[in-house]
Amino acid sequence: DQQVKQNSPSLSVQEGRISILNCDYTNSMFDYFLWYKKYPAEGPTFLISISSIKDKNEDGRFTVFLNKSAKHLSLHIVPSQPGDSAVYFCAASKKTSYDKVIFGPGTSLSVIP
Amino acid sequence: NAGVTQTPKFRILKIGQSMTLQCTQDMNHNYMYWYRQDPGMGLKLIYYSVGAGITDKGEVPNGYNVSRSTTEDFPLRLELAAPSQTSVYFCASRDLGLGGEKLFFGSGTQLSVL
């Protein structure tokens, strides 16, 4: 039973355009959401996060949107750059239980020059 | 600052062999984790620790053991390797407090069991 879903295994975007990566979750108890970025042969690195008390969080070219009623979040990258090509993992946790961070299967983003 | 260091980077085991994956962090983090990544499956939590001497099972603990004798080290032990344990293993740590939700990962150990 996948509690965190990323239904698009891959995504290709032209350089300079917007990349939108989607994530859905089933457990309404999740109240903290994170995005991680992973390059080949490296460990995932933290990108951006959002608490359930917010519906948007922005950090430079990266913005995460949270729709609690739909149990859906998305990561927007604008403008997309070739260096953004990586696998992006969505993750969720409960603030009262940080030990259980649940990851989605990932979306592989390719930004074409 | 080294962060989270995992050794070895690659290993091939025969069925039934044993090995220990090493993980060390130099950030004085209390929480440490072991994840495995299988293709298309995301990261699954194997074991975690909230401090020295305290460990608990994650989602997929069968076939693995851990110990946490110091804050810095969190080794993962495979006793009788099986082909189903072929995967990439990541160790991670995090701090407590504000902003402590994010995990810091090592670079991974790619393990093949043949």
Side-chain angles (χ1 to χ4, degrees), chain A residues 40-64:
Chain A
E42 295 183 11
T45 56
F46 171 77
L47 185 60
I48 193 169
S49 63
I50 188 166
S51 168
S52 60
I53 62 174
K54 296 185 176 182
D55 54 19
K56 176 183 174 181
N57 188 27
E58 195 171 352
D59 184 2
R61 295 186 298 113
F62 303 91
T63 303
V64 57

mmCIF file of all heavy atoms in Angstrom, chain A residues 40-64:
data_model
loop_
_atom_site.group_PDB
_atom_site.id
_atom_site.type_symbol
_atom_site.label_atom_id
_atom_site.label_comp_id
_atom_site.label_asym_id
_atom_site.label_seq_id
_atom_site.Cartn_x
_atom_site.Cartn_y
_atom_site.Cartn_z
ATOM 1 N N PRO A 40 22.593 10.432 -10.212
ATOM 2 C CA PRO A 40 23.132 9.061 -10.252
ATOM 3 C C PRO A 40 24.375 8.907 -9.382
ATOM 4 O O PRO A 40 25.219 9.808 -9.338
ATOM 5 C CB PRO A 40 23.469 8.868 -11.735
ATOM 6 C CG PRO A 40 22.554 9.796 -12.454
ATOM 7 C CD PRO A 40 22.414 10.986 -11.563
ATOM 8 N N ALA A 41 24.470 7.802 -8.687
ATOM 9 C CA ALA A 41 25.618 7.438 -7.851
ATOM 10 C C ALA A 41 25.819 8.385 -6.668
ATOM 11 O O ALA A 41 26.908 8.435 -6.095
ATOM 12 C CB ALA A 41 26.905 7.361 -8.680
ATOM 13 N N GLU A 42 24.789 9.150 -6.322
ATOM 14 C CA GLU A 42 24.853 10.004 -5.148
ATOM 15 C C GLU A 42 23.638 9.738 -4.265
ATOM 16 O O GLU A 42 22.633 9.181 -4.712
ATOM 17 C CB GLU A 42 24.871 11.488 -5.534
ATOM 18 C CG GLU A 42 26.100 11.903 -6.307
ATOM 19 C CD GLU A 42 26.102 13.396 -6.615
ATOM 20 O OE1 GLU A 42 25.266 14.125 -6.062
ATOM 21 O OE2 GLU A 42 26.959 13.817 -7.413
ATOM 22 N N GLY A 43 23.730 10.160 -3.018
ATOM 23 C CA GLY A 43 22.567 10.069 -2.145
ATOM 24 C C GLY A 43 21.602 11.209 -2.414
ATOM 25 O O GLY A 43 21.975 12.231 -2.983
ATOM 26 N N PRO A 44 20.331 11.042 -2.018
ATOM 27 C CA PRO A 44 19.374 12.140 -2.177
ATOM 28 C C PRO A 44 19.792 13.353 -1.354
ATOM 29 O O PRO A 44 20.393 13.215 -0.281
ATOM 30 C CB PRO A 44 18.068 11.545 -1.626
ATOM 31 C CG PRO A 44 18.259 10.063 -1.677
ATOM 32 C CD PRO A 44 19.707 9.836 -1.443
ATOM 33 N N THR A 45 19.487 14.533 -1.855
ATOM 34 C CA THR A 45 19.740 15.764 -1.108
ATOM 35 C C THR A 45 18.435 16.539 -0.966
ATOM 36 O O THR A 45 17.613 16.567 -1.886
ATOM 37 C CB THR A 45 20.797 16.650 -1.779
ATOM 38 O OG1 THR A 45 20.382 16.918 -3.120
ATOM 39 C CG2 THR A 45 22.151 15.979 -1.802
ATOM 40 N N PHE A 46 18.276 17.165 0.174
ATOM 41 C CA PHE A 46 17.067 17.922 0.470
ATOM 42 C C PHE A 46 16.944 19.113 -0.473
ATOM 43 O O PHE A 46 17.916 19.824 -0.748
ATOM 44 C CB PHE A 46 17.113 18.401 1.923
ATOM 45 C CG PHE A 46 16.033 19.373 2.272
ATOM 46 C CD1 PHE A 46 14.743 18.932 2.499
ATOM 47 C CD2 PHE A 46 16.307 20.724 2.362
ATOM 48 C CE1 PHE A 46 13.746 19.830 2.822
ATOM 49 C CE2 PHE A 46 15.323 21.629 2.684
ATOM 50 C CZ PHE A 46 14.038 21.189 2.909
ATOM 51 N N LEU A 47 15.721 19.336 -0.964
ATOM 52 C CA LEU A 47 15.489 20.445 -1.891
ATOM 53 C C LEU A 47 14.603 21.520 -1.270
ATOM 54 O O LEU A 47 14.986 22.671 -1.159
ATOM 55 C CB LEU A 47 14.844 19.897 -3.167
ATOM 56 C CG LEU A 47 14.627 20.849 -4.319
ATOM 57 C CD1 LEU A 47 15.946 21.434 -4.792
ATOM 58 C CD2 LEU A 47 13.926 20.130 -5.471
ATOM 59 N N ILE A 48 13.410 21.139 -0.852
ATOM 60 C CA ILE A 48 12.452 22.097 -0.319
ATOM 61 C C ILE A 48 11.399 21.344 0.475
ATOM 62 O O ILE A 48 11.178 20.151 0.236
ATOM 63 C CB ILE A 48 11.805 22.919 -1.467
ATOM 64 C CG1 ILE A 48 11.038 24.126 -0.930
ATOM 65 C CG2 ILE A 48 10.939 22.029 -2.352
ATOM 66 C CD1 ILE A 48 10.623 25.112 -2.029
ATOM 67 N N SER A 49 10.778 22.020 1.422
ATOM 68 C CA SER A 49 9.752 21.366 2.235
ATOM 69 C C SER A 49 8.575 22.301 2.451
ATOM 70 O O SER A 49 8.645 23.498 2.151
ATOM 71 C CB SER A 49 10.335 20.951 3.589
ATOM 72 O OG SER A 49 10.752 22.086 4.325
ATOM 73 N N ILE A 50 7.493 21.739 2.976
ATOM 74 C CA ILE A 50 6.313 22.543 3.293
ATOM 75 C C ILE A 50 5.569 21.894 4.446
ATOM 76 O O ILE A 50 5.425 20.663 4.505
ATOM 77 C CB ILE A 50 5.400 22.720 2.056
ATOM 78 C CG1 ILE A 50 4.273 23.714 2.355
ATOM 79 C CG2 ILE A 50 4.834 21.382 1.583
ATOM 80 C CD1 ILE A 50 3.543 24.183 1.101
ATOM 81 N N SER A 51 5.122 22.723 5.360
ATOM 82 C CA SER A 51 4.303 22.261 6.467
ATOM 83 C C SER A 51 2.842 22.329 6.054
ATOM 84 O O SER A 51 2.464 23.140 5.202
ATOM 85 C CB SER A 51 4.542 23.151 7.680
ATOM 86 O OG SER A 51 3.574 22.922 8.679
ATOM 87 N N SER A 52 2.019 21.526 6.707
ATOM 88 C CA SER A 52 0.603 21.489 6.343
ATOM 89 C C SER A 52 -0.144 22.768 6.698
ATOM 90 O O SER A 52 -1.288 22.959 6.278
ATOM 91 C CB SER A 52 -0.083 20.295 7.012
ATOM 92 O OG SER A 52 0.024 20.387 8.411
ATOM 93 N N ILE A 53 0.489 23.656 7.467
ATOM 94 C CA ILE A 53 -0.187 24.913 7.791
ATOM 95 C C ILE A 53 -0.034 25.933 6.665
ATOM 96 O O ILE A 53 -0.633 26.995 6.693
ATOM 97 C CB ILE A 53 0.341 25.515 9.116
ATOM 98 C CG1 ILE A 53 1.824 25.853 9.013
ATOM 99 C CG2 ILE A 53 0.069 24.559 10.267
ATOM 100 C CD1 ILE A 53 2.362 26.590 10.234
ATOM 101 N N LYS A 54 0.775 25.593 5.669
ATOM 102 C CA LYS A 54 0.966 26.474 4.525
ATOM 103 C C LYS A 54 0.420 25.820 3.268
ATOM 104 O O LYS A 54 0.226 24.604 3.211
ATOM 105 C CB LYS A 54 2.449 26.772 4.324
ATOM 106 C CG LYS A 54 3.099 27.536 5.450
ATOM 107 C CD LYS A 54 4.544 27.873 5.087
ATOM 108 C CE LYS A 54 5.193 28.719 6.166
ATOM 109 N NZ LYS A 54 6.588 29.089 5.794
ATOM 110 N N ASP A 55 0.188 26.632 2.227
ATOM 111 C CA ASP A 55 -0.188 26.043 0.947
ATOM 112 C C ASP A 55 0.847 26.319 -0.139
ATOM 113 O O ASP A 55 0.715 25.831 -1.274
ATOM 114 C CB ASP A 55 -1.574 26.511 0.500
ATOM 115 C CG ASP A 55 -1.693 28.019 0.482
ATOM 116 O OD1 ASP A 55 -0.649 28.700 0.450
ATOM 117 O OD2 ASP A 55 -2.834 28.522 0.491
ATOM 118 N N LYS A 56 1.892 27.054 0.212
ATOM 119 C CA LYS A 56 2.930 27.372 -0.767
ATOM 120 C C LYS A 56 4.226 27.680 -0.030
ATOM 121 O O LYS A 56 4.234 28.341 1.005
ATOM 122 C CB LYS A 56 2.490 28.572 -1.612
ATOM 123 C CG LYS A 56 3.506 29.076 -2.620
ATOM 124 C CD LYS A 56 2.969 30.310 -3.330
ATOM 125 C CE LYS A 56 4.010 30.936 -4.232
ATOM 126 N NZ LYS A 56 3.484 32.158 -4.902
ATOM 127 N N ASN A 57 5.325 27.209 -0.611
ATOM 128 C CA ASN A 57 6.638 27.580 -0.101
ATOM 129 C C ASN A 57 7.577 27.739 -1.290
ATOM 130 O O ASN A 57 7.592 26.898 -2.191
ATOM 131 C CB ASN A 57 7.181 26.522 0.860
ATOM 132 C CG ASN A 57 8.453 26.982 1.559
ATOM 133 O OD1 ASN A 57 8.671 28.180 1.728
ATOM 134 N ND2 ASN A 57 9.286 26.046 1.962
ATOM 135 N N GLU A 58 8.334 28.829 -1.278
ATOM 136 C CA GLU A 58 9.151 29.173 -2.436
ATOM 137 C C GLU A 58 10.613 29.308 -2.018
ATOM 138 O O GLU A 58 10.927 29.855 -0.962
ATOM 139 C CB GLU A 58 8.644 30.502 -3.001
ATOM 140 C CG GLU A 58 9.107 30.860 -4.375
ATOM 141 C CD GLU A 58 8.357 32.083 -4.918
ATOM 142 O OE1 GLU A 58 7.389 32.523 -4.276
ATOM 143 O OE2 GLU A 58 8.745 32.577 -5.974
ATOM 144 N N ASP A 59 11.495 28.814 -2.874
ATOM 145 C CA ASP A 59 12.932 28.965 -2.633
ATOM 146 C C ASP A 59 13.615 29.085 -3.977
ATOM 147 O O ASP A 59 13.912 28.100 -4.654
ATOM 148 C CB ASP A 59 13.462 27.751 -1.862
ATOM 149 C CG ASP A 59 14.938 27.911 -1.509
ATOM 150 O OD1 ASP A 59 15.543 28.957 -1.825
ATOM 151 O OD2 ASP A 59 15.504 26.969 -0.926
ATOM 152 N N GLY A 60 13.835 30.329 -4.389
ATOM 153 C CA GLY A 60 14.475 30.570 -5.682
ATOM 154 C C GLY A 60 13.618 30.073 -6.830
ATOM 155 O O GLY A 60 12.458 30.467 -6.976
ATOM 156 N N ARG A 61 14.167 29.183 -7.636
ATOM 157 C CA ARG A 61 13.433 28.668 -8.790
ATOM 158 C C ARG A 61 12.438 27.562 -8.424
ATOM 159 O O ARG A 61 11.691 27.094 -9.282
ATOM 160 C CB ARG A 61 14.440 28.115 -9.811
ATOM 161 C CG ARG A 61 15.371 29.145 -10.422
ATOM 162 C CD ARG A 61 16.247 28.548 -11.522
ATOM 163 N NE ARG A 61 17.129 27.496 -11.018
ATOM 164 C CZ ARG A 61 17.026 26.218 -11.356
ATOM 165 N NH1 ARG A 61 16.068 25.809 -12.181
ATOM 166 N NH2 ARG A 61 17.877 25.321 -10.871
ATOM 167 N N PHE A 62 12.461 27.144 -7.177
ATOM 168 C CA PHE A 62 11.644 26.011 -6.738
ATOM 169 C C PHE A 62 10.480 26.487 -5.866
ATOM 170 O O PHE A 62 10.674 27.254 -4.926
ATOM 171 C CB PHE A 62 12.502 25.011 -5.958
ATOM 172 C CG PHE A 62 13.685 24.503 -6.739
ATOM 173 C CD1 PHE A 62 14.913 25.142 -6.672
ATOM 174 C CD2 PHE A 62 13.556 23.391 -7.546
ATOM 175 C CE1 PHE A 62 15.996 24.673 -7.412
ATOM 176 C CE2 PHE A 62 14.637 22.906 -8.281
ATOM 177 C CZ PHE A 62 15.855 23.556 -8.216
ATOM 178 N N THR A 63 9.276 26.013 -6.201
ATOM 179 C CA THR A 63 8.088 26.312 -5.419
ATOM 180 C C THR A 63 7.311 25.028 -5.191
ATOM 181 O O THR A 63 7.111 24.259 -6.144
ATOM 182 C CB THR A 63 7.183 27.325 -6.135
ATOM 183 O OG1 THR A 63 7.927 28.520 -6.408
ATOM 184 C CG2 THR A 63 5.970 27.685 -5.275
ATOM 185 N N VAL A 64 6.901 24.807 -3.964
ATOM 186 C CA VAL A 64 6.053 23.646 -3.672
ATOM 187 C C VAL A 64 4.676 24.157 -3.284
ATOM 188 O O VAL A 64 4.550 25.114 -2.509
ATOM 189 C CB VAL A 64 6.677 22.750 -2.581
ATOM 190 C CG1 VAL A 64 6.934 23.499 -1.299
ATOM 191 C CG2 VAL A 64 5.798 21.540 -2.332
#
